[in-house]
Amino acid sequence: EAGVAQSPRYKIIEKRQSVAFWCNPISGHATLYWYQQILGQGPKLLIQFQNNGVVDDSQLPKDRFSAERLKGVDSTLKIQPAKLEDSAVYLCASRYSNSGANVLTFGAGSRLTVL
Amino acid sequence: AQKVTQAQTEISVVEKEDVTLDCVYETRDTTYYLFWYKQPPSGELVFLIRRNSFDEQNEISGRYSWNFQKSTSSFNFTITASQVVDSAVYFCALSAPYSSASKIIFGSGTRLSIRP
């Protein structure tokens, strides 16, 4: 089966600019996650979707970050305006359902550099 | 609150040595799952193993083995006869299915370097 697709792989922007990342999960996976991974740290959950509804966005900086999954398939994560500390890899992951037993499958990530 | 601690930030060993990566977790849930993921230089997180809280049997898969001990809340990972290709960052993770949102919490990772 095809994996989790993410684009772009790399993005360099200046602070205060905006950026958007796109994710296409594995077909049939109802649950989708966006994680932020700062260099040298583990992935930190930003937002979790179940189909097209938000399950958990408690750690999403909502003043600058937004995410949507309108049709319950693809998802977009947007940052506006970007800050230097947003430099990180943004990982999208999906799994079949919200059950804790299910394995997360990750995409290759989108590396953001904010100058 | 749920937490995963990987106290070893970096480990460097010579090829063919055995190496153990430590993982300690905290959760109030009685049913939960533990995972190990590998992140090679390419960046993509690769699933290695899942263990549920009711199964404390150790598992061996080739050169990899996992030791799950509920009494010490630990889920350690051992690589036997390490190889250069094992060089990567390894993450331990915890998922509690009966939380309001069944998310996976990751540790901070252990960077493993295998020297030829």
Side-chain angles (χ1 to χ4, degrees):
Chain A
E1 63 180 2
V4 176
Q6 289 190 246
S7 67
R9 287 296 311 278
Y10 304 93
K11 188 75 175 178
I12 300 175
I13 62 173
E14 296 192 350
K15 60 183 179 183
R16 290 188 288 273
Q17 287 186 325
S18 63
V19 63
F21 302 113
W22 172 83
C23 172
N24 181 237
I26 291 175
S27 178
H29 279 196
T31 311
L32 185 147
Y33 304 78
W34 283 101
Y35 282 85
Q36 179 193 58
Q37 187 178 19
I38 293 173
L39 185 65
Q41 299 181 18
K44 169 191 162 186
L45 179 67
L46 292 176
I47 189 167
Q48 176 185 346
F49 291 94
Q50 181 70 16
N51 296 309
N52 60 349
V54 175
V55 175
D56 183 355
D57 63 356
S58 57
Q59 296 196 82
L60 187 73
K62 299 181 186 63
D63 57 333
R64 299 183 299 105
F65 285 65
S66 64
E68 60 184 12
R69 193 184 184 200
L70 292 175
K71 297 182 180 179
V73 181
D74 294 7
S75 178
T76 303
L77 175 70
K78 297 179 181 177
I79 307 174
Q80 181 179 14
K83 291 185 175 182
L84 296 177
E85 59 260 36
D86 298 333
S87 294
V89 176
Y90 291 86
L91 296 164
C92 180
S94 69
R95 63 182 179 184
Y96 179 71
S97 76
N98 203 23
S99 166
N102 293 138
V103 172
L104 253 62
T105 301
F106 283 85
S110 295
R111 182 179 297 276
L112 173 66
T113 301
V114 182
L115 303 176
Chain B
Q2 298 175 348
K3 186 177 179 182
V4 177
T5 302
Q6 294 180 256
Q8 303 153 307
T9 305
E10 292 191 43
I11 300 175
S12 179
V13 300
V14 176
E15 198 172 20
K16 299 183 183 177
E17 287 186 8
D18 298 347
V19 59
T20 296
L21 309 182
D22 298 333
C23 172
V24 174
Y25 63 92
E26 296 176 27
T27 181
R28 293 182 179 178
D29 292 277
T30 55
T31 301
Y32 51 89
Y33 290 84
L34 295 163
F35 302 80
W36 275 94
Y37 280 83
K38 174 182 181 180
Q39 189 173 42
S42 61
E44 192 163 338
L45 280 148
V46 177
F47 166 74
L48 294 177
I49 190 172
R50 175 188 63 199
R51 172 68 75 222
N52 75 55
S53 53
F54 295 109
D55 182 2
E56 288 194 69
Q57 285 189 353
N58 291 336
E59 180 157 339
I60 298 174
S61 176
R63 297 183 297 106
Y64 296 171
S65 62
W66 290 269
N67 182 7
F68 174 34
Q69 293 192 339
K70 285 182 75 172
S71 60
T72 57
S73 297
S74 65
F75 185 41
N76 297 336
F77 173 31
T78 297
I79 301 175
T80 302
S82 60
Q83 299 176 2
V84 173
V85 293
D86 296 326
S87 297
V89 181
Y90 291 85
F91 291 97
C92 180
L94 166 69
S95 176
Y98 298 115
S99 297
S100 57
S102 182
K103 57 190 177 187
I104 292 186
I105 304 295
F106 285 83
S108 55
T110 297
R111 180 176 298 278
L112 177 63
S113 297
I114 310 298
R115 308 189 304 274

